[in-house]
Amino acid sequence: FHWMLNTSHGADYFRRWHRYKENSGGLMVHKATHHFDLVNWWLSSVPTSVFASGRRNFYRPETAKELGIKHPGERCQTCSAENCPFRLDMAKNKSLKELYLDQEEFDGYYRDKCVFSSDMNIEDNMNVIVNYKNGVKMSYSLTAFTPWEGFTVVFNGSKGRIEHNCMESVYINGDGQVPGELEKEGTYTKIYPHFDNGYKVDLWSGTGGHGGGDPVLLNDLFGSNPPEDKYMRAADQRAGMYSIICGIAANRSMKEKRLVTVDELVPNVPMPDYPAMPTCSWMEAEANI
């Protein structure tokens, strides 16, 4: 499972309060918890242990020098480096100006800090191995400086392989655009059965933010008569714990350079109410050994 944040949305985490791990928990918590929640639901299982490594490779002073950016300032609004491709001019965007720039005299919050500052302490490139209760193992990566935004996920199973590629629209949080709308041209699913030819499948598609998920979520929370959630997508506090604990364990693993178990952090949390998923009998038996 590889998630890509591009140099528009991805860079934005390094401009704002998220850039300090004591505020956000880093991208392993603030961003990846949503991805871990998806995987848990896809697998109808929960993580048991996590090993992770990561560092900040791109958003640092050395990259500014490589790009020929001389003397970057504390923030975009007062920076004199005109050739910076990451410059965010909030004065030219009505939404960002009204929400942030015009409010600085009241809250003192700078939303356009330099993405090449040396004082940040979150990672922009992370790799994680997660072991699940049903025997599945996941290799996950999150990169915050890619040319396009979205994800690729692959399931290798006893009957073959599923590949899904999802491309999302480019945006900066709060700029008035739809966040993470599905790009149909870059989104597809392929099935590769064992001992047979591969083929594409038709996709269900939605409109709206986050791949069409935002309208569904808002209707479930605030709609007067939301439809039955036959896929059991709504997460309760148990599912929420099992998603965020992956990121918390990943942070602990990166700090202590070791495998971290879920039980040592939050023991004996019951299984969430996930939908039934097909599971290999030998895999399930091996997981229970």
Side-chain angles (χ1 to χ4, degrees):
F1 189 6
H2 303 299
W3 198 285
M4 283 73 70
L5 291 168
N6 70 358
T7 48
S8 179
H9 183 206
D12 220 27
Y13 291 102
F14 298 84
R15 295 188 182 102
R16 300 179 285 159
W17 57 270
H18 314 72
R19 59 202 259 139
Y20 303 114
K21 190 167 282 192
E22 57 270 26
N23 292 342
S24 65
L27 289 172
M28 279 288 95
V29 167
H30 188 83
K31 183 65 178 176
T33 182
H34 303 304
H35 312 155
F36 299 139
D37 190 37
L38 266 176
V39 175
N40 297 349
W41 179 76
W42 282 332
L43 300 177
S44 286
S45 190
V46 295
T48 57
S49 62
V50 176
F51 182 81
S53 66
R55 58 174 293 183
R56 194 168 71 257
N57 286 328
F58 186 81
Y59 298 106
R60 54 185 189 151
E62 291 83 353
T63 303
K65 293 179 181 179
E66 291 174 3
L67 294 174
I69 302 171
K70 297 180 180 180
H71 311 299
E74 178 190 7
R75 57 178 303 199
C76 294
Q77 197 66 24
T78 57
C79 184
S80 60
E82 297 180 356
N83 64 327
C84 180
F86 292 91
R87 182 180 180 85
L88 176 65
D89 191 346
M90 293 191 292
K92 291 184 178 180
N93 182 280
K94 182 177 184 294
S95 178
L96 293 176
K97 180 178 182 298
E98 292 178 349
L99 189 60
Y100 296 104
L101 191 59
D102 293 348
Q103 312 310 319
E104 289 180 0
E105 61 177 302
F106 306 109
D107 59 24
Y109 174 56
Y110 292 168
R111 187 246 182 275
D112 62 342
K113 290 287 192 73
C114 179
V115 299
F116 302 117
S117 299
S118 59
D119 68 335
M120 296 183 287
N121 61 2
I122 65 170
E123 301 86 6
D124 60 19
N125 188 26
M126 294 135 280
N127 298 84
V128 186
I129 300 294
V130 184
N131 296 303
Y132 286 87
K133 189 174 183 179
N134 66 351
V136 171
K137 296 181 182 296
M138 176 178 68
S139 174
Y140 170 87
S141 73
L142 174 59
T143 306
F145 49 91
T146 57
W148 62 272
E149 177 134 343
F151 68 92
T152 62
V153 62
V154 172
F155 298 87
N156 292 307
S158 59
K159 295 184 179 180
R161 175 181 174 96
I162 301 174
E163 295 181 0
H164 179 68
N165 197 85
C166 178
M167 186 175 288
E168 296 182 351
S169 62
V170 174
Y171 72 102
I172 291 176
N173 197 63
D175 67 358
Q177 299 184 76
V178 177
E181 192 164 24
L182 191 71
E183 297 283 357
K184 293 183 180 180
E185 291 301 318
T187 303
Y188 57 85
T189 298
K190 294 181 180 179
I191 311 292
Y192 295 93
H194 284 158
F195 319 115
D196 205 345
N197 295 324
Y199 58 92
K200 280 189 175 182
V201 298
D202 293 332
L203 297 179
W204 296 353
S205 61
T207 58
H210 295 97
D214 285 358
V216 177
L217 174 62
L218 291 172
N219 188 39
D220 183 59
L221 288 173
F222 305 114
S224 58
N225 187 28
E228 179 186 359
D229 182 18
K230 64 179 181 179
Y231 300 110
M232 302 173 69
R233 294 169 295 187
D236 62 11
Q237 73 278 9
R238 297 167 298 172
M241 192 290 297
Y242 275 116
S243 67
I244 199 170
I245 203 67
C246 268
I248 294 171
N251 280 338
R252 175 76 64 88
S253 178
M254 286 189 285
K255 182 179 180 180
E256 300 181 0
K257 296 180 174 55
R258 67 178 180 91
L259 182 78
V260 175
T261 65
V262 169
D263 277 347
E264 71 180 87
L265 300 176
V266 186
N268 304 319
V269 176
M271 281 285 294
D273 296 326
Y274 289 136
M277 294 287 178
T279 303
C280 241
S281 57
W282 61 263
M283 183 183 292
E284 198 167 51
E286 203 170 75
N288 291 327
I289 293 176

